[in-house]
Amino acid sequence: GAFIAGVDDLTALYYNPAALTRLERPQIMLNVAGVQQSVSFQRANAPGLGAYDADAGGYSNTKFGATENTAPPFAIPHFGFSSKLGTPNTTFAFGFYPPYAPDLSYDKEGPQRYSLIDTMVIQTSLGPSVAHKINDWISIGAGVAWGVLIAEQQLKISVPWNQETVEIDFNTLDVANNTGPNEDPANDVGFDFTASDWGGISWNAGLMVEPPSKKWAFGMMVQPPVKFHAKGKMQADFSNHVLHTDGYLGDQIIVSEKVSDDDVTLNILMPLILKAGFAFRPTETSEIELAGVWQNWSKIETMTITGLNLVVDVNGEHMVPAARRDDTIIDDDVILPTYYEDAWSLRLGGQNHFGQFTARAGAFYETSAIPTSTQNVSLVDGNKLGYGVGGSYRPTDNWSIDLGLSQSFLAEKDVSDSEIEQIAVEPLTGDFVDGTIIGNGTYKSSVLIFGAGLNYYFGH
């Protein structure tokens, strides 16, 4: 990431578009990276919130085992091309550059199931950039990108119920009389969400100051906030819920097995990003850069799912008279608190050329955007240290091959102040109710990124 003042290839589309003026010859770039996040979550014990124990007449204590992310590395491509635009001082480029992000997948019956079972998030940017060298010292550049967001998420929600609305003789049935939030698997409902926004527009702008001697360079980049309103589908699966199965009553109270709403909206705001770097070249073949990045995550306090309208077919035969109905409608907005914090990082990197070879290495420190109160397994973050190593080989003047590897290690988080609750719905009114706290525990994580790139340069 220390590549804001010294960037000298088509990744300038992302790091600093002003540096595209350094690309003297037309070129094509193709990069492919793999991103994998190792996550281990040891959830704190939850007394009295487990499965219903008929012999004890209440809910069992729960001791959770550790859960881990089992998703394989997530492949992320980048590509681009560039050419001078009628004058040696102006460069045009076009590229595709999604951010690096991992895939996450956990045990569907694990202690994290109310936060996440499986997710896939794809965010891409595709578009042109133009850079112009104003004079021997200063270059400016800007780009516009068509942004796409695709989000898929699977988790469990809780649908608890109580004797005030359902007529059951609890003396003869091994069924819980729910008096508050719990994590009885008999109350679990599968919850799937898929949404996409194919109309996001973003831009970035950069500045580069570099004297004719090339002994040093200074670069800056700004990327404003980007809003996504992803339209999609939500589905709830009641097939294993205790009020749907018919073994204890001979009839179903929740008749619907699966219900869906094909017109919901996920609202997400991505933050303002500022980058700056200073590069120093002690020799003609070497470069060292110190860079900083600031991200305005504190603007994001919640994520919301709006437009929800799930209609659940219910059988009123076993309900108390005041509660009898034919349908339950779940139509409240789903509000997911984030309360993110601004994050910043410092990055130090360098490279040295050895004939046809270039060696690179660097290190960074970055603060976390996620406070302990809203940490959960759907997005694990913490203050982190990382390093990167890599290099290039140019077998001819027209080709170069890049290889790179980076690891970052997140500080272990012991969370005891979580505000993250399971999503819980009262089955006969459709109202969201208080759920159990699901975010307390110990989080451990590291991230591995590895990749390769191929560049072709036209002419000589």
Side-chain angles (χ1 to χ4, degrees):
F3 211 40
I4 299 160
V7 57
D8 56 3
D9 60 22
L10 272 164
T11 59
L13 286 161
Y14 169 75
Y15 286 111
N16 183 0
L20 290 167
T21 57
R22 288 197 177 107
L23 308 185
E24 297 296 336
R25 291 191 286 165
Q27 56 188 267
I28 296 174
M29 174 194 73
L30 174 62
N31 295 339
V32 179
V35 182
Q36 185 170 37
Q37 183 172 15
S38 170
V39 176
S40 174
F41 174 48
Q42 177 60 65
R43 189 173 166 193
N45 292 335
L49 296 179
Y52 184 73
D53 185 341
D55 294 333
Y59 292 97
S60 60
N61 295 334
T62 303
K63 291 184 113 179
F64 299 112
T67 187
E68 296 182 350
N69 177 28
T70 59
F74 193 48
I76 298 177
H78 294 68
F79 63 82
F81 69 88
S82 69
S83 178
K84 293 298 181 183
L85 199 62
T87 169
N89 292 330
T90 304
T91 306
F92 171 82
F94 187 91
F96 176 80
Y97 46 99
Y100 295 113
D103 195 8
L104 297 171
S105 183
Y106 300 97
D107 181 358
K108 65 180 181 179
E109 304 299 337
Q112 85 307 317
R113 66 188 184 276
Y114 299 112
S115 295
L116 184 68
I117 294 174
D118 191 72
T119 188
M120 181 184 72
V121 178
I122 299 174
Q123 182 190 343
T124 68
S125 296
L126 174 71
S129 295
V130 175
H132 180 69
K133 192 170 185 178
I134 296 175
N135 55 42
D136 289 343
W137 283 70
I138 298 174
S139 295
I140 56 174
V144 178
W146 168 45
V148 173
L149 176 71
I150 302 172
E152 299 180 4
Q153 194 164 44
Q154 179 184 15
L155 49 82
K156 295 284 183 74
I157 67 173
S158 180
V159 181
W161 52 281
N162 60 64
Q163 198 171 10
E164 294 178 358
T165 53
V166 179
E167 294 180 318
I168 294 178
D169 182 358
F170 288 91
N171 294 318
T172 60
L173 298 171
D174 292 341
V175 179
N177 176 19
N178 294 305
T179 57
N182 63 77
E183 298 189 16
D184 190 339
N187 295 324
D188 284 0
V189 171
F191 195 70
D192 291 1
F193 174 78
T194 304
S196 61
D197 183 350
W198 292 79
I201 298 295
S202 63
W203 60 269
N204 64 4
L207 168 72
M208 186 179 70
V209 180
E210 184 175 43
S213 68
K214 310 295 185 185
K215 286 291 186 181
W216 59 268
F218 172 76
M220 295 178 61
M221 193 279 285
V222 58
Q223 179 176 307
V226 182
K227 291 182 179 180
F228 288 101
H229 302 286
K231 298 286 188 178
K233 174 181 179 179
M234 183 175 289
Q235 183 181 78
D237 182 355
F238 292 89
S239 59
N240 294 314
H241 190 275
V242 67
L243 295 185
H244 178 77
T245 56
D246 57 5
Y248 67 92
L249 284 174
D251 206 349
Q252 298 167 327
I253 293 177
I254 296 179
V255 179
S256 299
E257 180 174 326
K258 294 182 179 180
V259 297
S260 63
D261 181 356
D262 296 337
D263 187 20
V264 296
T265 302
L266 172 66
N267 301 291
I268 294 179
L269 175 67
M270 303 305 292
L272 166 70
I273 300 174
L274 301 176
K275 301 180 180 182
F278 181 83
F280 173 64
R281 303 182 181 103
T283 69
E284 291 185 357
T285 60
S286 62
E287 179 180 273
I288 299 170
E289 179 170 338
L290 177 66
V293 179
W294 180 79
Q295 300 177 338
N296 186 208
W297 287 104
S298 64
K299 281 288 187 181
I300 306 171
E301 295 185 350
T302 62
M303 288 187 288
T304 61
I305 299 174
T306 59
L308 186 61
N309 188 37
L310 291 173
V311 180
V312 183
D313 184 10
V314 296
N315 180 357
E317 180 181 347
H318 295 287
M319 301 178 199
V320 297
R324 286 176 184 165
R325 66 195 66 210
D326 295 324
D327 294 319
T328 293
I329 299 176
I330 304 172
D331 58 4
D332 289 342
D333 292 345
V334 180
I335 300 175
L336 306 173
T338 57
Y339 304 122
Y340 290 158
E341 301 170 344
D342 294 339
W344 58 269
S345 63
L346 286 177
R347 303 156 186 267
L348 180 66
Q351 64 180 15
N352 195 75
H353 303 290
F354 304 93
Q356 294 175 287
F357 295 90
T358 301
R360 301 184 181 91
F364 72 92
Y365 172 78
E366 184 174 65
T367 64
S368 174
I370 303 178
T372 57
S373 62
T374 56
Q375 177 69 82
N376 66 87
V377 297
S378 65
L379 183 60
V380 178
D381 193 27
N383 296 342
K384 61 187 75 69
L385 287 169
Y387 73 91
V389 294
S392 298
Y393 171 59
R394 298 195 68 160
T396 72
D397 189 49
N398 296 102
W399 291 95
S400 70
I401 302 168
D402 299 318
L403 296 172
L405 180 145
S406 175
Q407 279 187 293
S408 58
F409 304 92
L410 283 67
E412 182 177 308
K413 271 188 176 180
D414 291 311
V415 177
S416 59
D417 62 345
S418 178
E419 298 179 16
I420 299 297
E421 296 182 353
Q422 65 180 175
I423 299 174
V425 180
E426 208 289 330
L428 304 180
T429 66
D431 295 330
F432 287 99
V433 296
D434 291 337
T436 63
I437 296 295
I438 57 177
N440 286 328
T442 301
Y443 298 81
K444 298 178 182 178
S445 182
S446 62
V447 179
L448 171 67
I449 302 175
F450 54 92
L454 184 65
N455 294 270
Y456 180 76
Y457 307 86
F458 295 87
H460 296 281

